[in-house]
Amino acid sequence: MGMRFCILGSGSEGNCALLETDAARLLVDAGFSARRLAHLLAGMGESLGRIDAIFLTHEHGDHAAGISGLSGHPQIKIFANHATAHAVQAGLKYRPNWQIFETGTRFRFRDLEIESFAVPHDAHDPVAFVFSHGRGDLLSPRRRLAWLTDLGHAPLHVREHIRDADVLVLEANHCPQMLKADGKRPWSVKQRISGRHGHLSNDSARELLDAIASPRWRHVFLAHLSRECNSLAAVEQSCAGILSSLHCPFSIVAPGGGTPFHEC
Ligand SMILES: [Zn+2]
Ligand SMILES: [Zn+2]
């Protein structure tokens, strides 16, 4: 097996993905209760007892809420930078097996190489990840999976990571018109969401894909759609124009939904 992943759930209510290789089985974020995580994993034939590690992008509840229920799984190593671990630990009644990395560094976990890099978002030290796997020969091609949810905009270093990915998971959080029309969120929250340290709108995600349109991409996923301020139809409409310039399959993950396993 090379590297494969499935999104267990994605959206404003919670985010978690399962990433597997021959030697590692890990979660990217754990934004659901432990009970829900167990249920979602069971749906893919997996269980929390078989998870080796969780990689946290930042401390927001829709990415880290599940950690509080994992005291019974001490085998799970929790990878996070110091600020994220500190923020999550403040809400915990136990001490997980923290594995602290420094933002911007590259390190190995079993047969994976992981790069973390800073993204502009309103958390303590939010990061995105690139997971690389494979020796780089015919039998074991090198594959890079870039994971970018929760970012207000994409600075140059972020664009470089996006360009070099084989598989890209990118946020398309909200439709600006639906966010504007939303009656529940106060103005200040809307400003935060749409700001430079908030979330990518459908239009920002499209512009980014359009500007980079890397020939290296093998599959692009748009994820972390807001349930109330976005829809599959809104993303499809916003991205309709770029489908011809992307030379790879393109999937939109429904708000709250997931994906089947995808080989990188
Ligand atoms: Zn966030
Ligand atoms: Zn989020």
Side-chain angles (χ1 to χ4, degrees):
M1 176 172 47
M3 172 166 63
R4 67 174 193 162
F5 76 95
C6 67
I7 293 177
L8 296 171
S10 171
S12 322
E13 284 110 30
N15 295 276
C16 183
L18 170 63
L19 174 60
E20 293 186 347
T21 64
D22 282 330
R25 200 175 279 109
L26 54 92
L27 301 180
V28 185
D29 285 327
F32 298 99
S33 71
R35 177 197 285 248
R36 178 108 186 103
L37 285 175
H39 177 78
L40 291 166
L41 281 167
M44 304 309 289
E46 287 296 347
S47 67
L48 282 168
R50 282 163 54 85
I51 298 298
D52 305 310
I54 298 173
F55 285 76
L56 290 180
T57 56
H58 63 300
E59 72 275 16
H60 287 164
D62 61 322
H63 297 260
I67 305 297
S68 66
L70 294 178
S71 58
H73 296 277
Q75 93 284 0
I76 303 181
K77 295 182 161 79
I78 316 284
F79 286 84
N81 59 36
H82 179 78
T84 298
H86 190 73
V88 172
Q89 182 64 56
L92 300 181
K93 294 194 174 78
Y94 77 106
R95 189 156 185 90
N97 185 355
W98 289 114
Q99 305 285 314
I100 304 297
F101 62 79
E102 209 166 307
T103 300
T105 55
R106 190 189 296 229
F107 54 95
R108 290 197 71 83
F109 178 69
R110 304 201 176 169
D111 58 351
L112 284 162
E113 188 176 84
I114 296 103
E115 269 177 275
S116 67
F117 53 99
V119 286
H121 184 60
D122 56 355
H124 282 95
D125 189 3
V127 298
F129 292 113
V130 172
F131 299 93
S132 302
H133 180 266
R135 294 188 305 268
D137 55 34
L138 264 177
L139 286 176
S140 173
R142 185 93 172 148
R143 294 280 188 251
R144 291 166 58 85
L145 166 65
W147 203 274
L148 298 102
T149 61
D150 301 67
L151 68 164
H153 66 282
L156 195 60
H157 76 279
V158 170
R159 287 168 186 259
E160 282 163 9
H161 285 295
I162 291 175
R163 183 178 310 112
D164 292 343
D166 296 291
V167 177
L168 170 65
V169 178
L170 181 69
E171 164 175 71
N173 179 257
H174 57 277
C175 160
Q177 290 79 26
M178 289 171 76
L179 179 64
K180 201 173 167 194
D182 175 69
K184 279 193 205 157
R185 290 165 178 77
W187 182 82
S188 58
V189 173
K190 293 184 185 184
Q191 285 294 104
R192 190 180 69 71
I193 292 171
S194 59
R196 301 265 297 162
H197 287 75
H199 292 275
L200 289 183
S201 69
N202 298 344
D203 295 341
S204 316
R206 183 204 57 232
E207 282 165 23
L208 202 53
L209 294 178
D210 207 17
I212 298 172
S214 171
R216 184 164 175 166
W217 293 343
R218 298 166 58 84
H219 203 130
V220 172
F221 292 83
L222 290 180
H224 206 308
L225 274 64
S226 162
R227 191 186 289 280
E228 286 164 350
C229 299
N230 210 353
S231 66
L232 280 179
V235 181
E236 276 163 12
Q237 194 187 6
S238 180
C239 293
I242 58 160
L243 289 180
S244 55
S245 62
L246 288 185
H247 304 286
C248 69
F250 175 78
S251 305
I252 306 166
V253 185
T259 68
F261 271 111
H262 176 84
E263 301 281 338
C264 289

